[in-house]
Amino acid sequence: MEKTSSSNKTLISGMLKVEEKNKSTISLSYIAYHFGSSGMAVTTATGFTHPLDVLKVRLQMQLVGQKAPLTGLGKICSQMVKSEGPTALYLGLTPALTRSVLYGGLRLGLYEPSKYVCEWAVGSSNVLVKIASGAFSGAIATALTNPTEVLKVRLQMNHDSGRGAITEMRKIVSEEGLRALWKGVGPAMARAAALTSSQLATYDEAKQALIRWTPLEEGFNLHLISSTIAGTISTLVTAPVDMIKTRLMLQRDSKSTGSYKNGFHCTYQVMSTEGPRALYKGGFAMFARLGPQTTITFIVCEKLRELAGLKAI
């Protein structure tokens, strides 16, 4: 009898250990799928929309310090293709894709955990909680991945250099110091916080409203409409901050009076020398890029999550 009881205890103990191990495995798998699906979705969207990102940066950097008629998106594109070749539209693609995997995975991946923590802390899941969660996840993701963004915009502007991402990074560090890789990190964090909060909060709220007030259910049509709304709102919110971020990242260390000291100084200089409308330089290109990118990101992410057995965003 004692032998049987001892045997049963051993069996139960073994089953508990196996169950605990399985839970651990499931937990690690969940984390991998959760962040992996986010990173893959953003990378896919970046691959499709990268030429528009290059054009946006060129538009933001035209007529620095001057008030004059701006060249439009179509003309900038044709000039680039004519003078630099079609491949110029994919300048900086390597750091852009690297950034998408890391930044995209963290930005979208941290949103849900942040939202759950905020819900637990305040006992509510209203739109302000979603905005705060998005702002936190976007800012943290950018702070960690800012060097890839600096490399991307430098390569997008320097078409004659012929350097790769690693060579460009070595050049920046040797000539400007390691801190140069975090140039514009303040505006970049502000932009990412504004982008993620407006994008994810809008998408989340739009989905709930459409499910509540229309016949739409979880699926492609719901994701398409919700992501289009999110892309429009996030472009309007982030365009000025994105322009300031680009200016700071592209300026080199200089003691001249023309250099920007920080994001606020850059904003003041741009508005005083180029006018308030200059804050929306490249705005149409940004919308043409961010709109489709947001749509592709959310549709791909939702599909990957479905395939991985995860619940929808």
Side-chain angles (χ1 to χ4, degrees):
M1 189 73 175
E2 289 179 4
K3 188 176 180 181
T4 304
S5 177
S6 177
S7 178
N8 287 339
K9 285 181 180 178
T10 304
L11 181 61
I12 291 169
S13 177
M15 288 173 67
L16 288 172
K17 285 180 180 178
V18 170
E19 187 178 350
E20 188 178 342
K21 186 177 179 181
N22 286 338
K23 282 183 180 178
S24 176
T25 304
I26 291 169
S27 178
L28 290 172
S29 299
Y30 176 84
I31 292 169
Y33 288 137
H34 178 71
F35 286 96
S37 60
S38 301
M40 287 175 66
V42 177
T43 303
T44 302
T46 298
F48 280 104
T49 61
H50 186 75
L52 289 163
D53 189 50
V54 176
L55 292 172
K56 178 207 72 174
V57 170
R58 295 296 179 92
L59 285 165
Q60 289 173 336
M61 291 305 295
Q62 66 175 317
L63 301 175
V64 175
Q66 303 174 49
K67 290 183 180 179
L70 300 174
T71 305
L73 177 65
K75 193 170 182 180
I76 284 280
C77 182
S78 62
Q79 287 175 352
M80 276 187 66
V81 172
K82 186 177 179 180
S83 62
E84 303 171 39
T87 56
L89 294 172
Y90 285 90
L91 288 168
L93 181 61
T94 300
L97 293 176
T98 304
R99 176 180 178 273
S100 295
V101 174
L102 302 172
Y103 168 71
L106 288 169
R107 185 171 72 87
L108 297 185
L110 288 172
Y111 173 69
E112 279 190 275
S114 301
K115 186 172 71 170
Y116 293 145
V117 170
C118 287
E119 285 178 9
W120 173 80
V122 302
S124 173
S125 59
N126 58 41
V127 67
L128 294 178
V129 166
K130 295 172 184 177
I131 290 172
S133 304
F136 172 78
S137 57
I140 292 297
T142 293
L144 296 173
T145 61
N146 197 71
T148 58
E149 176 73 0
V150 172
L151 285 172
K152 185 192 75 169
V153 295
R154 290 289 181 96
L155 289 170
Q156 285 173 344
M157 286 300 295
N158 299 328
H159 64 279
D160 293 327
S161 67
R163 293 187 293 269
I166 300 298
T167 306
E168 180 69 20
M169 183 175 71
R170 287 174 178 167
K171 182 177 181 293
I172 291 171
V173 173
S174 63
E175 293 182 1
E176 304 172 51
L178 188 63
R179 289 179 62 185
L181 293 174
W182 271 270
K183 272 187 176 179
V185 70
M189 288 175 70
R191 184 250 182 194
L195 171 65
T196 310
S197 59
S198 60
Q199 203 176 53
L200 283 164
T202 303
Y203 179 75
D204 207 338
E205 287 292 307
K207 272 182 70 176
Q208 290 185 18
L210 288 168
I211 290 171
R212 189 182 305 117
W213 300 109
T214 71
L216 289 172
E217 297 179 352
E218 196 68 50
F220 177 80
N221 291 334
L222 178 65
H223 301 158
L224 177 63
I225 296 170
S226 302
S227 59
T228 302
I229 295 170
T232 304
I233 297 298
S234 58
T235 301
L236 292 172
V237 170
T238 61
V241 190
D242 187 79
M243 205 281 290
I244 296 301
K245 176 210 72 173
T246 301
R247 289 286 180 90
L248 286 170
M249 286 181 173
L250 283 169
Q251 78 165 350
R252 302 189 182 269
D253 281 347
S254 172
K255 293 183 180 178
S256 66
T257 55
S259 62
Y260 305 123
K261 298 174 183 176
N262 50 50
F264 294 107
H265 181 246
C266 181
T267 304
Y268 172 76
Q269 288 284 86
V270 169
M271 291 182 69
S272 60
T273 59
E274 303 171 48
R277 289 181 61 187
L279 292 174
Y280 278 89
K281 277 184 179 180
F284 181 74
M286 186 176 176
F287 174 74
R289 167 187 168 267
L290 192 56
Q293 187 187 45
T294 302
T295 302
I296 294 168
T297 296
F298 282 121
I299 288 174
V300 173
C301 188
E302 294 279 25
K303 190 62 181 178
L304 290 173
R305 289 177 70 87
E306 181 188 335
L307 293 173
L310 305 176
K311 73 172 187 176
I313 295 173

